[in-house]
Amino acid sequence: MATQKRRTLRELAHSRAGDKGDISNISVIAYDISDFARLEEYLTPERVKQHFAGVVQGEVRRYSLPALGALNFVMEKALGGGVTRSLALDAHGKCLSSAMLSLELPATE
């Protein structure tokens, strides 16, 4: 019987992030283009919003860039009113992109 292994997103992809006002923008880029379909299937806007429950108060939109093996997420109302207004300790893009990479993927054989 094959052993199933849970993996984090960090094992399959890296991320880039930015922020403007109260919007966080996170791109997830597959290390290997062959993993892109798996990421695209699993990383839905709903799943990302659930992962950031309590942080992202607005809409999450996803843009797919298959030629780059990347997904771009735009998360509104994600920075406590904006980087300069938030009392959160460094809760901007880079911290959120690191948190995104901790997301667990479904087990594979």
Side-chain angles (χ1 to χ4, degrees), residues 1 11 37 47 66 77 90 108:
M1 175 179 257
E11 296 174 65
R47 185 161 281 120
K77 298 182 184 174
D90 199 21
T108 60

Side-chain angles (χ1 to χ4, degrees), residues 25-81:
N25 178 55
I26 300 175
S27 293
V28 175
I29 306 113
Y31 291 126
D32 184 331
I33 196 77
S34 67
D35 290 322
F36 176 71
R38 181 175 180 208
L39 299 179
E40 187 174 40
E41 179 182 338
Y42 185 70
L43 292 176
T44 63
E46 296 79 18
R47 185 161 281 120
V48 169
K49 184 164 182 169
Q50 180 183 23
H51 183 67
F52 287 107
V55 175
V56 176
Q57 304 301 315
E59 181 182 3
V60 174
R61 290 185 311 279
R62 181 183 82 172
Y63 299 92
S64 183
L65 303 151
L68 300 176
L71 299 168
N72 185 51
F73 295 90
V74 177
M75 305 184 300
E76 297 183 9
K77 298 182 184 174
L79 301 171

Side-chain angles (χ1 to χ4, degrees), residues 11-27:
E11 296 174 65
L12 299 180
H14 61 99
S15 65
R16 298 284 299 163
D19 46 68
K20 185 65 84 178
D22 200 14
I23 298 172
S24 182
N25 178 55
I26 300 175
S27 293

